[in-house]
Amino acid sequence: DKVSWGGEDAAFSNGRTFGVFDGVSGAEKVKGKKLYSVSLAESMKKKCGKGGLSVVDITNYMNEAKEFADSEGTGASTAVVASIGEDNMLRALNLGDSVCLVLRDGTVAARTREIIHYFDCPYQLGEDSPDRPKDGTTLQTEIYSGDIIVAGSDGVFDNLSDADVCGIVESCPPKAKSAAIAKKIVELSRAVSLDKCAVTPYST
């Protein structure tokens, strides 16, 4: 089903703000409509502007994005949105099981906290979901020169540990482009997902 939709995830980046939206596979979807995750990403990119946002700003924009996705989109989606303020503070809102990591000197300096109802049922936004942006977990942490920020869905973090991600980042040249680092993370997470011997939350 994911293949027929061209994938169910979406992301955006605009100025100091970025986000990852993971479409919920089990949510009912109507053919011909835009995916909920895509609707959220499009709305957030238009609304957030170039400057840093507070957690309140992020929450308010997410409320508006949810209203847009309820009317234009189909399905459901988790969401993690973060913004780097002019004061060098990273502020994030996480609704579901996606993750935003701050890596410093080869270790995890800060991490958003996932929030789920039960196994395989993360908090999520959707027309029929009771969850709202205000229900998400928040993170506020100072960012320093040289820090690496990694945001991804459970498609990455179900298959890679935080230590795995740190190892990948550390293996990259000091001036490696973000796209190259992201590509390595995605490739390894996919390889693990296809490894029948790997231990993951969904391995049998």
Side-chain angles (χ1 to χ4, degrees):
D1 189 45
K2 279 191 176 185
V3 174
S4 68
W5 285 92
E8 295 183 17
D9 300 348
F12 83 94
S13 176
N14 189 11
R16 291 174 170 266
T17 306
F18 55 92
V20 173
F21 304 91
D22 182 11
V24 178
S25 298
E28 184 177 345
K29 291 176 282 293
V30 178
K31 288 289 186 181
K33 296 193 73 174
K34 188 178 298 183
L35 284 170
Y36 203 93
S37 56
V38 174
S39 298
L40 289 174
E42 289 181 353
S43 179
M44 286 299 295
K45 185 167 186 174
K46 288 179 182 178
K47 292 178 180 298
C48 68
K50 300 293 185 182
L53 302 178
S54 68
V55 170
V56 172
D57 291 333
I58 295 172
T59 304
N60 288 339
Y61 287 142
M62 282 297 297
N63 282 326
E64 295 176 19
K66 173 182 161 38
E67 290 180 4
F68 173 75
D70 282 348
S71 62
E72 300 291 328
T74 185
S77 177
T78 66
V80 59
V81 176
S83 187
I84 303 171
E86 288 79 2
D87 56 359
N88 291 328
M89 293 292 291
L90 175 79
R91 298 172 175 88
L93 172 69
N94 189 32
L95 194 87
D97 52 6
S98 292
V99 174
C100 180
L101 289 178
V102 178
L103 307 182
R104 182 178 305 137
D105 299 325
T107 62
V108 177
R111 188 187 202 278
T112 55
R113 180 169 61 87
E114 300 99 319
I115 180 169
I116 64 173
H117 292 288
Y118 49 84
F119 178 71
D120 208 27
C121 183
Y123 274 54
Q124 58 198 263
L125 298 176
E127 187 175 11
D128 297 325
S129 172
D131 305 326
R132 298 291 182 269
K134 66 180 178 61
D135 300 321
T137 62
T138 62
L139 172 70
Q140 299 190 61
T141 188
E142 190 168 2
I143 298 298
Y144 296 90
S145 177
D147 285 356
I148 302 290
I149 301 170
V150 178
S153 72
D154 66 331
V156 170
F157 289 96
D158 278 350
N159 296 305
L160 300 179
S161 67
D162 292 356
D164 290 332
V165 175
C166 286
I168 294 169
V169 172
E170 286 293 291
S171 72
C172 294
K175 294 185 178 180
K177 293 185 177 180
S178 58
I181 298 174
K183 186 172 185 288
K184 280 195 169 187
I185 292 172
V186 169
E187 287 176 345
L188 183 56
S189 64
R190 176 167 173 75
V192 172
S193 74
L194 298 174
D195 182 353
K196 295 181 179 179
C197 296
V199 178
T200 73
Y202 294 93
S203 59
T204 55

